[in-house]
Coordinates of all heavy atoms in Angstrom, one line a residue:
L876 N 1.4 -12.8 31.6 CA 2.1 -11.7 31.0 C 1.3 -11.0 30.0 O 0.6 -11.7 29.2 CB 3.4 -12.1 30.3 CG 4.7 -12.3 31.2 CD1 5.8 -12.8 30.3 CD2 5.1 -10.9 31.8
P877 N 1.3 -9.6 29.9 CA 0.5 -9.0 28.9 C 1.1 -9.3 27.5 O 2.3 -9.4 27.4 CB 0.6 -7.5 29.2 CG 1.8 -7.4 30.1 CD 1.9 -8.7 30.8
G878 N 0.3 -9.3 26.5 CA 0.7 -9.5 25.1 C 1.5 -8.3 24.5 O 1.5 -7.3 25.2
R879 N 2.1 -8.5 23.4 CA 2.8 -7.4 22.7 C 1.8 -6.6 21.9 O 1.0 -7.2 21.2 CB 3.9 -7.9 21.8 CG 5.0 -8.5 22.5 CD 6.2 -8.6 21.7 NE 7.2 -9.3 22.4 CZ 7.6 -10.6 22.1 NH1 7.0 -11.2 21.1 NH2 8.5 -11.2 22.8
A880 N 1.8 -5.3 22.0 CA 0.9 -4.4 21.3 C 1.1 -4.6 19.8 O 2.3 -4.6 19.4 CB 1.0 -3.0 21.7
V881 N 0.1 -4.6 19.0 CA 0.2 -4.6 17.6 C 0.5 -3.2 17.1 O -0.1 -2.3 17.5 CB -1.1 -5.1 16.9 CG1 -1.0 -5.1 15.4 CG2 -1.4 -6.5 17.4
Q882 N 1.6 -3.1 16.3 CA 1.9 -1.7 15.8 C 1.0 -1.4 14.6 O 0.9 -2.1 13.6 CB 3.4 -1.7 15.3 CG 4.3 -1.8 16.4 CD 5.5 -0.8 16.2 OE1 5.7 -0.4 15.0 NE2 6.2 -0.4 17.2
L883 N 0.4 -0.2 14.7 CA -0.5 0.3 13.7 C 0.4 1.0 12.6 O 1.2 1.8 13.0 CB -1.5 1.2 14.2 CG -2.8 0.6 14.8 CD1 -3.8 1.6 15.2 CD2 -3.4 -0.5 13.9
G884 N 0.1 0.8 11.4 CA 0.8 1.5 10.3 C 0.2 2.9 10.2 O -0.8 3.3 10.8

Side-chain angles (χ1 to χ4, degrees):
L876 273 178
R879 290 200 188 104
V881 177
Q882 286 224 339
L883 276 188

